[in-house]
């Protein structure tokens, strides 16, 4: 059974700005989503929405119990480290991240289903607002396709959200799709719940070694305790 969205989960909106065209092609976007999938099981997080672009990625994720911005930042860095161990990066991207401190994470804790739905819709409409498509439902690398067509992605189940909006999941899906379209027609959308974000900039936080080749064995990720203890050296909080 899919986990309940609001049964003790703290939900967080996250925007990752890479500072380069890190996810420049279809294969790298797919590999990034696969990295989210692989690590979400280990980290114990749920993914409720995503939009993936060449130079940035948006996520709405949740975790049971207390979940701080620092913990969410740590989890996102672990996901990104997983991606950087794949063979999708160009030499320029590897050099950029090995030397780099340009990754910026913007996070907002969401309270209540209204804020969660607003953040979810915002993440889905970003493709339109950034000029990638004329209508948000046309963008492929977004969970808007899952919410519209009602399939279950192996890592995001739209039914989880529907069931918390209404006892009638079918009606809830139709209402949510209609709300997407209404807000899209009204113009650009930026919800109040995202107006006071916590921003982290990274400080030499990514692996210094190049990603392992497909024929070699990827090193194990750090133990949870090690990842938690290393957060102060990974990020600087802005604001």
């Amino acid at each position: 059974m899919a986990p309940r969205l609001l049964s003790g989960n703290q939900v967080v909106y996250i925007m990752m700005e890479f500072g380069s065209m890190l996810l420049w092609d279809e294969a790298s976007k797919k590999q990034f989503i696969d990295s989210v999938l692989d690590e979400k099981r280990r980290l114990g997080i749920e993914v409720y929405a995503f939009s993936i672009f060449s130079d940035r990625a948006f996520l709405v994720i949740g975790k049971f119990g207390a979940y701080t911005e620092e913990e969410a930042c740590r989890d996102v860095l672990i996901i990104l480290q997983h991606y950087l161990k794949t063979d999708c990066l160009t030499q320029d991207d590897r050099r950029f991240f090995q030397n780099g401190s340009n990754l910026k994470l913007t996070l907002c804790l969401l309270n209540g289903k209204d804020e969660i739905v607003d953040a979810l819709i915002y993440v889905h409409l970003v493709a339109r607002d950034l000029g990638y498509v004329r209508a948000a439902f046309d963008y492929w690398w977004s969970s808007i396709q899952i919410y519209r067509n009602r399939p279950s992605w192996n890592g995001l189940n739209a039914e989880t959200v529907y069931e918390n909006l209404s006892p009638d999941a079918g009606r809830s899906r139709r209402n949510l799709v209609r709300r997407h379209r209404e807000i899209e027609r009204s113009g650009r959308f930026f919800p109040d719940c995202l107006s006071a974000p916590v921003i982290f900039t990274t400080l030499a936080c990514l692996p210094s070694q190049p990603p392992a080749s497909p024929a070699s064995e990827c090193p194990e990720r750090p133990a949870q305790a090690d990842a938690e203890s290393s957060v102060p050296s990974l990020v600087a909080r802005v604001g």
Side-chain angles (χ1 to χ4, degrees), residues 190-212:
F190 189 82
D192 291 341
C193 60
L194 306 184
S195 61
V198 172
I199 300 173
F200 295 93
T201 55
T202 59
L203 303 173
C205 61
L206 301 174
S208 59
Q209 299 299 319

Side-chain angles (χ1 to χ4, degrees), residues 22-40:
L22 181 64
L23 308 180
W24 66 278
D25 64 355
E26 306 293 277
S28 60
K29 291 180 177 67
K30 173 63 166 59
Q31 186 60 62
F32 182 81
I33 292 176
D34 288 344
S35 297
V36 174
L37 276 178
D38 290 343
E39 289 297 336
K40 83 173 212 52

Side-chain angles (χ1 to χ4, degrees), residues 2-239:
R4 297 280 179 172
L5 176 62
L6 299 179
S7 296
N9 277 25
Q10 174 62 63
V11 180
V12 185
Y13 157 88
I14 298 168
M15 178 173 66
M16 310 169 67
E17 296 178 90
F18 304 124
S20 74
M21 303 295 277
L22 181 64
L23 308 180
W24 66 278
D25 64 355
E26 306 293 277
S28 60
K29 291 180 177 67
K30 173 63 166 59
Q31 186 60 62
F32 182 81
I33 292 176
D34 288 344
S35 297
V36 174
L37 276 178
D38 290 343
E39 289 297 336
K40 83 173 212 52
R41 300 185 185 96
R42 302 181 191 181
L43 297 171
I45 62 176
E46 295 299 328
V47 181
Y48 299 117
F50 65 86
S51 283
I52 310 298
F53 304 94
S54 297
D55 63 345
R56 68 194 72 188
F58 297 77
L59 298 171
V60 176
I61 66 174
K63 197 167 192 175
F64 188 81
Y67 195 35
T68 65
E69 292 101 336
E70 286 80 3
E71 290 169 330
C73 179
R74 174 209 61 201
D75 288 346
V76 169
L77 290 175
I78 290 172
I79 289 169
L80 187 57
Q81 286 172 335
H82 182 118
Y83 172 74
L84 293 179
K85 293 174 185 176
T86 69
D87 61 346
C88 285
L89 273 73
T90 66
Q91 288 298 326
D92 287 342
D93 278 326
R94 292 177 186 177
R95 191 178 304 111
F96 178 86
F97 279 98
Q98 287 164 11
N99 299 329
S101 56
N102 291 317
L103 175 68
K104 184 170 77 170
L105 303 180
T106 301
L107 299 91
C108 290
L109 297 180
L110 304 174
N111 299 302
K113 63 183 181 183
D114 289 342
E115 289 192 0
I116 293 168
V117 169
D118 282 351
L120 182 149
I121 292 174
Y122 173 74
V123 166
H124 289 163
L125 297 187
V126 163
R128 187 278 312 263
D129 291 345
L130 291 177
Y132 281 78
V133 288
R134 294 183 63 183
F137 281 95
D138 293 335
Y139 191 66
W140 181 252
W141 295 104
S142 166
S143 53
I144 197 170
Q145 302 296 338
I146 298 166
Y147 283 93
R148 179 179 64 174
N149 297 320
R150 204 167 42 177
S152 293
W153 176 59
N154 183 23
L156 182 150
N157 190 332
E159 301 295 334
T160 304
V161 177
Y162 301 146
E163 290 169 4
N164 283 274
L165 298 178
S166 168
D168 184 338
R171 177 177 297 177
S172 179
R173 181 184 71 86
R174 292 189 296 272
N175 289 343
L176 189 58
V177 169
R178 183 169 60 249
R179 181 163 167 74
H180 274 83
R181 295 191 185 281
E182 289 173 350
I183 292 177
E184 185 174 33
R185 285 195 295 268
S186 70
R188 289 182 178 270
F189 175 61
F190 189 82
D192 291 341
C193 60
L194 306 184
S195 61
V198 172
I199 300 173
F200 295 93
T201 55
T202 59
L203 303 173
C205 61
L206 301 174
S208 59
Q209 299 299 319
S213 67
S216 65
E217 183 177 356
C218 290
E220 291 293 324
R221 71 177 181 86
Q224 192 83 351
D226 293 338
E228 290 178 1
S229 64
S230 64
V231 167
S233 67
L234 296 182
V235 297
R237 184 166 176 162
V238 177

